[in-house]
Amino acid sequence: MKILAVETSCDDTCISVLKVKNGNFEFLSDIVSSQTEVHKKWGGVYPTLARREHQKNLVPVLEKTLKEAGLLKKGNSSAEIKDVLKREEILLKKTEKFLSSYKKPEVDLLAVTVGPGLDPSLWMGINFIKALAKAWQLEIIPVNHIKAHFFAPMVLKDSPFPAVSLIASGGHTQLVFSENLNTHRVLGKTRDDAAGECFDKTARILGLDYPGGPEIEKLAKKDSKKEVKFPRPMMKSDNYDFSFSGLKTAVLYKWKDEKDKSENFRVAMAEEIQEAITDVLTEKTFRAAENRKAKAVILGGGVSANERLREKFKKRAESKKLSLILPNLDFSTDNAKMIAVTAYHEWKKGGETPWKELKSKPNLKIN
Ligand code: KG4
Ligand code: ZN
């Protein structure tokens, strides 16, 4: 069977086609259209802009995805979709034109991220998939974005159980305990800023571009002769929660206090910001793994692209003799492949949802 999945929970427009045959997964195509350039000047994702960009990008991304999968065939699959896309004028026009130019593709199931994420962004993917479902008469599987971040690597790399996952991105920082593929429980999460958000905000203080994580990582690789020290918030606290806003404030004060804002000082700041965030993430994840007698640790979300974090996770996993599942970089950041894989399993459990009932769930939790 073939699943077409759409992911628009934040600032990336992602669509992919997954083929599943005899339990084997093959990605026929995977397109990610990034909005980084649009959001750069705001130092973070600006929801109204994200909504507009998704409207502009969804149809071109769909066309590219289907073409790459060899599923784009000239013809007509027009349907009455005005009621579904009545609030998305740009998207409606583009979708109508697309449907009047191409046949229904050979896919069997549709999937979409319904939450958590930015409400205006989520709605774009949801209403778009509803229009396609109506035109092509297909079912839709709703998918939880956070779950997809750890579930897809868990399935694709055949994780042993129990497993502890850390999902660290621009919007979320969560520790999840999985007894098996069907039972997941959140152990803890951030009480304020997410780890990626902390990278982004502190990078902005240092005058670096958005997204801040890769910029801080780049700067931290340089040599500095200066020493800066920041706290490791909640690292020793007796729970699995996180807090990063205090670190951000400490960085801001240090930056304001220092008269000499030389490259050397900025490098030292970047190094210590990265050390502080990755220390807390590593410490808490492996403590959870130990306490819960986990056999595997899984890392997911945009921050898992950080080499220093990967290094620390590898070292700890080796010394504790735990399986470590590190996603490839295209699986770390947002993508629709993880949505398709998760959707396949939801579908196998019998989880189809009538498309009319689908709606955005910005605060969706993992059950
Ligand atoms: O998962 P993701 O692509 O989108 C969200 O769902 O938020 O994560 C984006 C976040 C941003 O905060 C970005 O700064 C961070 O991941 N990030 C990194 C790195 N690459 C991306 N943080 C640290 N080091 C990196 N190399
Ligand atoms: Zn994400």
Side-chain angles (χ1 to χ4, degrees):
M1 76 177 303
K2 296 191 198 84
I3 303 174
L4 182 127
V6 173
E7 149 65 45
T8 62
S9 67
C10 192
D11 61 337
D12 291 324
T13 314
C14 321
I15 307 186
S16 93
V17 178
L18 168 71
K19 181 176 169 184
V20 191
K21 201 172 176 189
N22 305 326
N24 291 320
F25 295 105
E26 182 192 350
F27 297 104
L28 299 184
S29 59
D30 173 48
I31 306 288
V32 177
S33 168
S34 161
Q35 301 177 7
T36 304
E37 286 306 315
V38 179
H39 297 285
K40 236 175 193 164
K41 66 169 180 282
W42 303 94
V45 180
Y46 197 77
T48 321
L49 275 183
R51 180 181 189 276
R52 193 193 67 192
E53 289 303 301
H54 284 310
Q55 284 205 54
K56 286 203 285 191
N57 296 338
L58 273 162
V59 170
V61 170
L62 175 67
E63 227 174 299
K64 234 172 152 178
T65 312
L66 288 174
K67 194 169 177 197
E68 195 176 290
L71 298 171
L72 192 66
K73 303 271 154 62
K74 288 242 175 277
N76 194 326
S77 55
S78 294
E80 183 48 58
I81 55 165
K82 280 195 181 65
D83 54 333
V84 185
L85 292 174
K86 55 179 177 285
R87 283 190 217 94
E88 293 83 25
E89 218 178 301
I90 311 171
L91 185 57
L92 172 65
K93 282 211 182 88
K94 284 178 171 271
T95 311
E96 280 178 337
K97 186 161 177 248
F98 174 86
L99 293 175
S100 66
S101 313
Y102 298 105
K103 276 205 273 200
K104 174 185 172 179
E106 283 171 26
V107 296
D108 308 286
L109 195 61
L110 301 175
V112 68
T113 305
V114 292
L118 299 172
D119 198 44
S121 293
L122 288 164
W123 272 118
M124 291 309 101
I126 293 169
N127 285 340
F128 183 56
I129 210 91
K130 280 184 179 181
L132 298 183
K134 199 171 177 200
W136 297 340
Q137 298 293 303
L138 291 171
E139 297 286 346
I140 304 170
I141 303 289
V143 175
N144 179 315
H145 179 89
I146 297 291
K147 180 172 173 182
H149 264 304
F150 68 83
F151 190 84
M154 189 178 259
V155 169
L156 293 172
K157 303 216 169 151
D158 210 3
S159 171
F161 291 101
V164 164
S165 305
L166 170 73
I167 305 96
S169 70
H172 312 276
T173 303
Q174 287 194 12
L175 273 173
V176 177
F177 177 72
S178 304
E179 254 171 66
N180 50 50
L181 273 184
N182 297 316
T183 319
H184 314 281
R185 200 160 74 78
V186 177
L187 295 176
K189 55 182 192 302
T190 183
R191 293 182 178 178
D192 39 58
D193 293 350
E197 193 178 357
C198 187
F199 270 113
D200 295 337
K201 287 180 173 169
T202 53
R204 203 166 185 210
I205 296 171
L206 301 188
L208 300 170
D209 266 348
Y210 173 82
E215 296 295 320
I216 294 227
E217 177 164 19
K218 225 190 293 165
L219 196 58
K221 281 196 176 127
K222 298 185 179 171
D223 258 348
S224 100
K225 286 158 214 78
K226 248 185 142 82
E227 272 267 325
V228 179
K229 203 75 199 149
F230 289 128
R232 268 73 176 146
M234 293 186 73
M235 189 162 81
K236 303 257 183 272
S237 66
D238 194 18
N239 54 41
Y240 300 118
D241 282 349
F242 300 91
S243 164
F244 291 104
S245 74
L247 176 59
K248 173 191 65 192
T249 312
V251 170
L252 181 64
Y253 285 144
K254 183 79 195 158
W255 179 256
K256 281 190 171 164
D257 282 351
E258 181 69 43
K259 286 187 194 67
D260 161 39
K261 302 218 174 23
S262 61
E263 168 84 353
N264 203 17
F265 173 61
R266 293 169 71 234
V267 172
M269 291 280 278
E271 248 176 38
E272 179 61 4
I273 291 166
Q274 179 171 267
E275 284 310 303
I277 298 174
T278 53
D279 272 353
V280 176
L281 294 177
T282 310
E283 188 62 37
K284 291 215 115 154
T285 305
F286 282 87
R287 198 183 324 141
E290 189 166 353
N291 291 350
R292 301 282 158 153
K293 300 191 171 34
K295 295 205 175 88
V297 166
I298 297 164
L299 186 56
V303 180
S304 71
N306 186 277
E307 279 177 34
R308 189 74 181 117
L309 183 65
R310 287 177 169 246
E311 222 173 80
K312 287 181 183 177
F313 265 57
K314 274 185 199 154
K315 241 192 200 150
R316 279 292 185 95
E318 260 169 38
S319 76
K320 302 275 177 204
K321 303 217 170 353
L322 290 170
S323 297
L324 176 64
I325 297 180
L326 289 177
N328 297 336
L329 290 188
D330 58 332
F331 256 95
S332 289
T333 46
D334 288 347
N335 65 87
K337 289 187 288 195
M338 65 182 192
I339 305 302
V341 171
T342 311
Y344 173 69
H345 279 262
E346 304 287 359
W347 170 77
K348 267 208 318 199
K349 283 196 298 186
E352 288 168 17
T353 303
W355 66 266
K356 282 192 178 165
E357 284 173 23
L358 273 192
K359 57 178 193 207
S360 156
K361 296 176 180 173
N363 300 311
L364 183 63
K365 308 269 184 300
I366 293 161
N367 51 344

